[in-house]
């Protein structure tokens, strides 16, 4: 089974919590993050209304999505090769 690679940016508070948890259980932060994300996804109800409610609970998500759309529309982007 092949996997999907994701790059996720955490704010400072969540990054610190992840580092503390990883150190406590003696695993790599990436391994712990992958396990936590997999558990969260497995526990999600696939009903679109529940997914929308979960997304609505993310502070600033709508504003960041709007900003991304505006940046894409004005060409304020970078190529994948530049990442």
């Amino acid at each position: 089974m092949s996997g999907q690679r994701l790059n996720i940016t955490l704010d400072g508070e969540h990054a610190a919590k992840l580092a503390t948890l990883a150190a406590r259980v003696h695993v790599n932060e990436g391994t712990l993050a992958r396990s936590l994300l997999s558990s969260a996804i497995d526990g999600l109800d696939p009903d679109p209304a529940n997914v929308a409610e979960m997304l609505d609970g993310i502070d600033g998500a709508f504003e960041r999505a709007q900003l991304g759309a505006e940046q894409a529309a004005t060409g304020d982007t970078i190529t994948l090769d530049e990442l």
Side-chain angles (χ1 to χ4, degrees):
M1 176 189 263
S2 66
Q4 174 73 31
R5 181 175 173 86
L6 299 173
N7 290 317
I8 299 171
T9 302
L10 297 175
D11 61 43
E13 181 181 345
H14 287 104
K17 286 181 181 180
L18 179 63
T20 300
L21 285 170
R24 235 182 245 168
V25 295
H26 306 288
V27 299
N28 179 283
E29 291 173 31
T31 300
L32 181 58
R34 183 172 44 252
S35 177
L36 291 170
L37 180 58
S38 294
S39 294
I41 291 170
D42 287 344
L44 243 178
D45 182 349
D47 179 351
N50 293 330
V51 173
E53 181 180 335
M54 189 249 342
L55 293 173
D56 284 343
I58 300 171
D59 288 338
F62 181 73
E63 292 79 8
R64 289 193 309 260
Q66 283 184 313
L67 175 61
E70 290 169 10
Q71 289 172 325
T74 62
D76 185 15
T77 61
I78 61 171
T79 67
L80 291 176
D81 293 334
E82 294 178 89
L83 292 177

